[in-house]
Amino acid sequence: MSDFDYDLFVIGGGSGGVRAARVAAAGGAKVALAEESRLGGTCVIRGCVPKKLMVFASSYREGFSEARAYGWDVQDGEFHWPVFQKHLHEELNRLEGVYRKLLDGSGVEIFDSRATVAGAHTVSVDGQEKTAKHILVATGGRPTRPDMPNADLGIVSDDLFDLDALPETLLVIGGGYIACEFACIMAGLGVKVTQYYRGAQILRGFDDEARGLIAEMMQEQGIDLHLGTNIHEMAPAGADHEPSGTASDAAMGASAQSSGDLLPKGGNGGPIWVKSTTGQEHVFDKVLFATGRTPNTEGMGLEDVGVTLGRRGEVEVDEYSQTGVPSIYAIGDVTNRVNLTPVAIREGMAFVETVFNGNPTPVDHELIPSAVFTTPEYGTVGLTEEDARDQEPIEVYCTSFRPMQTAFAGKPWRVMMKLIVSKETRKILGCHIVAPAAGEMIQLAGIAVKMGATKEDFDRTVAVHPTMSEEIVTMRDPIRTA
């Protein structure tokens, strides 16, 4: 008979924690899981899923004019946020129910409460202490606000799905993938979007050529992008805080310009006066902070039992997701390794293999395909050109063009296909696609890159014509070497 209440206690009901709990329970382990918010975690409730549904919603805006170019007699439609929002939350509720049903069906005991670590084998939950042979921390992360006065006036990505109404004007602070995705989404839904980013170019860490093209396309769709710019001050708009000078239409709602009316046009609060580090002053209906995420370890009791936390509060683990306390493991965003839902799920599976199946399985974080759901999308796998040329001699194959579908409709949109090739081994070191549905394309290209395909393997593959993706296998001559 076991000396513990459970073989495994999982803290966190996101995708990684739920998968680990289900698989361990299916193998015969006695498992409990605690989630203080909603089952599904960031991805299902506050991230990937609702964001992608908003991407779909925003993509229809251009469709009306494109349809007319193809002979359809259609008029521009009007987006109704309450209709979409109701359907969105119905879908999220459905998915949460699916997660609960899967856990129940696997025999996992669910605690809809906050749990903390009270010892190497002890969890505190619902005012009780429960013991477990193994504890898995899968508490994810949360968006952060900057440390500045009145930062509470702004919203974060979690708040976007619960707005009472869409704002007329929105300022996005940040230049990472979350900031850029929501800037494109909101612009696609008809919001006048301004974006401040303190760096020289958005999407730091991604391929420079891809970053540049995405920035150009974002500006083409009306996003007022200010690089080398950050927020300096913010306050409730009013008599003491009105913009000095003329704001552009993208920076201030037309009603505020014409009448001085500072009542909000949407959202759950009043308008906000903002002064940038470049001295500009504007009033926005909403300010969205997309300036990073923080691992959810605060108040968890982890350091008290000997678990080491990193500079940003992340749980430090080895290649098997084990902490310095042998009975405690951690997976997903709380470890701040590769913060992607499929990676958290893989880490959860590797944990079960290691701990419950007697098959020590390190997590493979190499050559992970990913997508940024901007307009257009960006799909990437492997090294950027900049990282690759620092590593070894390379050839760069790249093409940028106007795709047939939107070119016919008279749209200025451009796409890009890019391969980074090792001169020595001929292997594809990196693949970068900026195009509609790039996320779908990179999943398939990622298989080839993960298998170690060479440029000649791509060359031998017959093109599918006419498609955008055929360019991946028809680029014969490098545009540069390094």
Side-chain angles (χ1 to χ4, degrees):
M1 186 173 180
S2 174
D3 295 330
F4 302 101
D5 297 324
Y6 305 99
D7 299 309
L8 172 65
F9 199 108
V10 179
I11 304 177
S15 298
V18 168
R19 178 63 64 88
R22 286 177 52 214
V23 176
K30 186 176 182 182
V31 181
L33 179 145
E35 170 54 56
E36 67 174 321
S37 181
R38 299 179 64 182
L39 292 174
T42 295
C43 180
V44 174
I45 304 300
R46 297 173 294 277
C48 319
V49 172
K51 176 191 70 181
K52 191 63 183 291
L53 291 171
M54 288 184 74
V55 168
F56 291 145
S58 67
S59 68
Y60 287 100
R61 186 176 182 221
E62 289 293 328
F64 300 109
S65 61
E66 288 181 18
R68 287 194 292 272
Y70 280 87
W72 288 90
D73 182 16
V74 294
Q75 302 302 312
D76 286 352
E78 186 174 332
F79 178 70
H80 295 281
W81 171 251
V83 175
F84 169 78
Q85 188 183 45
K86 179 177 182 294
H87 195 185
L88 173 68
H89 285 293
E90 288 172 349
E91 177 63 6
L92 301 186
N93 292 338
R94 184 189 72 81
L95 292 173
E96 183 182 12
V98 169
Y99 268 61
R100 187 173 296 276
K101 186 175 180 179
L102 289 170
L103 288 170
D104 285 337
S106 300
V108 176
E109 184 176 354
I110 303 171
F111 291 89
D112 293 301
S113 305
R114 177 175 174 80
T116 57
V117 177
H121 296 279
T122 307
V123 171
S124 178
V125 60
D126 278 346
Q128 312 170 58
E129 288 198 344
K130 300 289 185 178
T131 60
K133 186 175 182 179
H134 303 284
I135 298 170
L136 179 64
V137 179
T139 48
R142 65 186 185 279
T144 54
R145 287 180 171 83
D147 183 14
M148 63 178 294
N150 294 317
D152 59 307
L153 296 175
I155 60 174
V156 294
S157 57
D158 289 359
D159 304 320
L160 279 170
F161 313 113
D162 296 315
L163 292 175
D164 289 342
L166 289 184
E168 272 194 13
T169 59
L170 172 70
L171 172 63
V172 178
I173 308 294
Y177 73 93
I178 294 175
C180 294
E181 287 175 338
F182 278 114
C184 290
I185 288 169
M186 299 302 275
L189 296 179
V191 177
K192 296 173 183 176
V193 177
T194 301
Q195 184 174 356
Y196 289 172
Y197 178 51
R198 63 184 181 182
Q201 186 56 279
I202 58 171
L203 297 174
R204 182 171 62 88
F206 291 95
D207 186 85
D208 280 356
E209 209 162 3
R211 299 162 71 197
L213 178 58
I214 292 169
E216 289 176 21
M217 294 300 96
M218 288 174 65
Q219 291 171 307
E220 190 69 49
Q221 61 187 292
I223 295 170
D224 188 13
L225 178 60
H226 295 254
L227 299 173
T229 306
N230 204 350
I231 189 169
H232 178 62
E233 290 182 74
M234 63 189 300
D240 295 333
H241 291 105
E242 293 183 357
S244 57
T246 303
S248 67
D249 284 348
M252 186 191 299
S255 60
Q257 293 179 56
S258 60
S259 66
D261 178 13
L262 294 177
L263 291 175
K265 301 303 171 186
N268 305 331
I272 302 165
W273 169 86
V274 169
K275 185 175 183 179
S276 74
T277 51
T278 57
Q280 294 178 314
E281 299 179 45
H282 298 303
V283 171
F284 300 93
D285 293 330
K286 287 291 174 189
V287 174
L288 169 66
F289 290 115
T291 50
R293 293 178 64 83
T294 301
N296 283 324
T297 54
E298 189 175 350
M300 286 284 298
L302 290 165
E303 288 184 295
D304 295 337
V305 302
V307 173
T308 302
L309 302 183
R311 183 175 58 86
R312 297 184 58 193
E314 71 274 16
V315 179
E316 294 191 355
V317 295
D318 64 14
E319 60 181 336
Y320 299 99
S321 298
Q322 189 175 36
T323 72
V325 179
S327 58
I328 301 178
Y329 291 72
I331 61 169
D333 291 6
V334 76
T335 67
N336 199 35
R337 289 178 286 182
V338 179
N339 296 340
L340 297 169
T341 296
V343 174
I345 292 171
R346 286 294 185 96
E347 290 171 356
M349 297 290 287
F351 160 77
V352 174
E353 278 295 309
T354 298
V355 174
F356 290 97
N357 296 346
N359 178 28
T361 304
V363 179
D364 181 4
H365 288 127
E366 296 298 318
L367 296 174
I368 297 170
S370 63
V372 180
F373 294 103
T374 45
T375 306
E377 292 179 12
Y378 174 28
T380 175
V381 62
L383 298 176
T384 66
E385 178 181 345
E386 295 71 40
D387 288 340
R389 72 187 178 206
D390 288 342
Q391 173 180 295
E392 62 179 287
I394 60 169
E395 293 178 347
V396 178
Y397 297 79
C398 187
T399 181
S400 181
F401 55 94
R402 293 174 67 196
M404 178 190 298
Q405 181 177 359
T406 48
F408 183 85
K411 301 293 183 181
W413 317 127
R414 297 188 65 81
V415 303
M416 186 194 84
M417 308 283 169
K418 184 174 185 178
L419 295 175
I420 315 298
V421 180
S422 167
K423 279 187 178 180
E424 180 182 0
T425 67
R426 307 301 299 159
K427 284 186 177 180
I428 305 295
L429 301 178
C431 177
H432 305 275
I433 302 173
V434 178
E440 304 291 344
M441 294 187 221
I442 205 65
Q443 178 69 83
L444 301 180
I447 298 171
V449 174
K450 185 71 172 177
M451 291 176 69
T454 65
K455 179 63 171 65
E456 287 66 35
D457 290 326
F458 275 53
D459 292 343
R460 282 192 294 269
T461 304
V462 175
V464 179
H465 182 75
T467 65
M468 289 182 291
S469 57
E470 68 180 297
E471 298 289 338
I472 283 289
V473 299
T474 59
M475 293 183 288
R476 290 294 182 262
D477 299 312
I479 62 169
R480 56 184 170 268
T481 59

